[in-house]
Amino acid sequence: MTVKLRIGALASGGGSNVQSIIDHIEAGKLAAELVLLLTDNPDAGVLKRAARHGIPFAIIEPENYENRDEHDRAMIEALKAEHVELVVLAGYMRIISPEFVRAFPGRIMNIHPALLPAFPGIHVQAKAAAYGVRFSGCTVHFVDEGMDTGPIILQAVVPVLPEDDGDSLGARILRQEHRIYPEAIRLFAEGRLQIEGRHVRILGHTVDADRYMINPPLEEEAPLWPEEGKD
Ligand code: GRF
């Protein structure tokens, strides 16, 4: 029997990334178990998803605690009680405390809907569209004590079109989020991620260094050599 990685998820919203993780687990593509979902928001859509799939969940509302540290302590306790080995932040709309980060060293991941370190923070899909970048995407990274600053695990790139707004770009990015988050978790579960300072080494991976994307594509590649007899 394969040992399953015990995952705890923190989410505040609709939970499509949590859904994607559940789907990968249920399809047998990820040797993991989502043992606890925590939310700060009693109205979060993600709760319906958890209920539908029999995932244990708890609503831990910040209003019931004196400050963020106390709130985070309650979450740490709940996660530790379930022997969680990896914490995944999936649309969790609060910044976790340094104590939380230290409670799970090298064992907290986040997904961010931009190509970090560009566009950290919130509403970044709209910010990228408004800025006029030609590419954006998403980033899975380990969480450190900064905001969106931890070592990067995987990134996916998508083109930005002139007519894009935050919604259309966000939808394009989200489709890739649903692919790279389970992949990063799988690599972690297989023990293939090594944090070395700012870098995450992925064991057993090679990349074709000659691949590229240009947006908009070149309309005409300049010939490398002039045709014979033409000049
Ligand atoms: C995603 O765009 C994620 O990158 C960001 O919050 C959003 C959560 O979406 N951190 P969902 O709740 O997983 O659908």
Side-chain angles (χ1 to χ4, degrees):
M1 210 187 83
T2 47
V3 183
K4 290 183 182 168
L5 178 76
R6 296 178 69 80
I7 301 178
L10 269 58
S12 306
S16 68
N17 276 291
V18 170
Q19 184 70 52
S20 162
I21 294 164
I22 294 171
D23 292 347
H24 278 74
I25 292 172
E26 289 185 352
K29 294 178 188 161
L30 188 53
E33 197 181 342
L34 186 48
V35 295
L36 184 60
L37 169 79
L38 296 180
T39 186
D40 55 335
N41 172 13
D43 300 322
V46 70
L47 289 172
K48 284 204 189 86
R49 300 182 192 268
R52 209 179 299 141
H53 292 270
I55 310 288
F57 62 83
I59 303 165
I60 303 187
E61 287 186 81
E63 294 78 45
N64 299 334
Y65 299 86
E66 248 175 39
N67 51 42
R68 182 184 64 172
D69 286 351
E70 291 298 327
H71 177 242
D72 279 14
R73 250 170 235 146
M75 294 200 295
I76 295 168
E77 231 170 75
L79 294 162
K80 293 277 186 193
E82 290 302 326
H83 306 288
V84 162
E85 298 166 291
L86 177 70
V87 178
V88 298
L89 309 184
Y92 182 65
M93 297 311 286
R94 291 171 194 278
I95 296 172
I96 58 174
S97 62
E99 187 179 330
F100 192 115
V101 175
R102 288 196 286 263
F104 298 94
R107 292 180 169 273
I108 308 173
M109 284 184 189
N110 181 43
I111 185 142
H112 181 77
L115 291 176
L116 290 171
F119 305 110
I122 57 170
H123 306 310
V124 295
Q125 303 95 327
K127 285 177 189 163
Y131 192 95
V133 290
R134 295 296 189 192
F135 290 105
S136 190
C138 44
T139 304
V140 182
H141 63 94
F142 283 113
V143 173
D144 63 10
E145 292 182 24
M147 192 185 61
D148 299 326
T149 52
I152 291 171
I153 304 166
L154 285 183
Q155 293 186 305
V157 175
V158 303
V160 181
L161 311 182
E163 61 272 23
D164 270 333
D165 59 13
D167 288 342
S168 60
L169 177 59
R172 192 172 310 127
I173 291 171
L174 197 59
R175 285 196 288 278
Q176 301 309 317
E177 295 186 34
H178 297 160
R179 303 174 70 205
I180 67 170
Y181 215 178
E183 176 74 356
I185 296 168
R186 186 179 65 81
L187 292 167
F188 183 92
E190 292 176 0
R192 292 171 60 193
L193 300 182
Q194 276 179 6
I195 303 175
E196 296 170 5
R198 273 226 53 83
H199 294 255
V200 177
R201 183 190 296 275
I202 304 182
L203 303 176
H205 231 296
T206 52
V207 174
D208 179 352
D210 290 325
R211 295 185 69 181
Y212 59 88
M213 282 200 290
I214 301 174
N215 178 30
L218 299 186
E219 290 187 339
E220 193 184 328
E221 294 264 359
L224 202 51
W225 303 104
E227 278 178 55
E228 238 180 284
K230 282 228 170 135
D231 58 7

